[in-house]
């Protein structure tokens, strides 16, 4: 049964052209974890960058230490930067990590950086756990 293991609220500032005004948006993140067919699934939801990565990093670190196969269900990730990518590569070096159902933005990030040649990427969680 899925369980919520962590959540965080982060504040993101972005300056508009000319630096005259700034917008502030609150980003909610959550990490759900569960067992599926012998693999441990970590399902992050939200936007991940330097300011919001800690709960996901903690979850992946713990999962990689306890389980031979970890699946990251990336379908709920709405934004990810190089911090997220670095975390996935570090986790991949720790054990077996499979990335399932990455959205378009993540697929593009993987393609541009060449991470798609390093990470095991699957279309669905079911394909990743089998």
């Amino acid at each position: 049964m899925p369980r919520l293991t962590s959540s965080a609220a982060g504040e993101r500032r972005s300056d508009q052209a000319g630096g005259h005004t700034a917008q502030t948006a609150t980003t909610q993140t959550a990490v759900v974890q569960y067992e599926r067919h012998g693999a441990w699934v970590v399902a992050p939801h939200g936007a991940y960058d330097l300011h919001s990565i800690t709960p996901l990093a903690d979850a992946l670190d713990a999962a990689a230490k306890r389980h031979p196969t970890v699946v990251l269900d990336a379908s709920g990730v709405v934004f990810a930067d190089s911090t997220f990518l670095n975390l996935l590569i570090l986790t991949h070096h720790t054990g077996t990590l499979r990335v399932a159902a990455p959205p378009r933005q993540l697929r593009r990030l993987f393609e541009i950086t060449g991470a798609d040649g390093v990470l095991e990427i699957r279309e669905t969680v079911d394909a990743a756990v089998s």
Side-chain angles (χ1 to χ4, degrees), residues 2-125:
R3 62 184 168 97
L4 180 65
T5 58
S6 60
S7 63
E11 189 173 292
R12 178 179 298 201
R13 290 180 60 90
S14 60
D15 293 329
Q16 292 182 356
H20 300 281
T21 60
Q23 258 183 332
T24 302
T26 301
T27 304
Q28 294 289 331
T29 60
V31 179
V32 176
Q33 301 182 60
Y34 57 95
E35 189 275 339
R36 183 160 193 162
H37 302 296
W40 193 251
V41 179
V42 177
H45 297 273
Y48 290 90
D49 60 17
L50 181 62
H51 303 289
S52 61
I53 199 74
T54 302
L56 178 57
D58 293 344
L60 285 174
D61 181 55
K65 288 177 180 173
R66 292 185 190 124
H67 304 280
T69 303
V70 176
V71 174
L72 179 85
D73 177 357
S75 63
V77 176
V78 296
F79 172 81
D81 69 2
S82 61
T83 308
F84 180 88
L85 182 59
N86 187 49
L87 173 62
L88 297 188
I89 292 170
L90 288 172
T91 304
H92 167 75
H93 288 297
T94 303
T96 301
L97 173 69
R98 295 180 184 143
V99 179
R104 187 176 187 192
Q105 186 261 337
L106 276 184
R107 286 186 184 276
R108 185 71 178 135
L109 178 65
F110 296 156
E111 290 170 7
I112 290 170
T113 61
D116 58 346
V118 175
L119 298 172
E120 292 185 49
I121 302 169
R122 305 289 189 266
E123 292 296 318
T124 65
V125 171

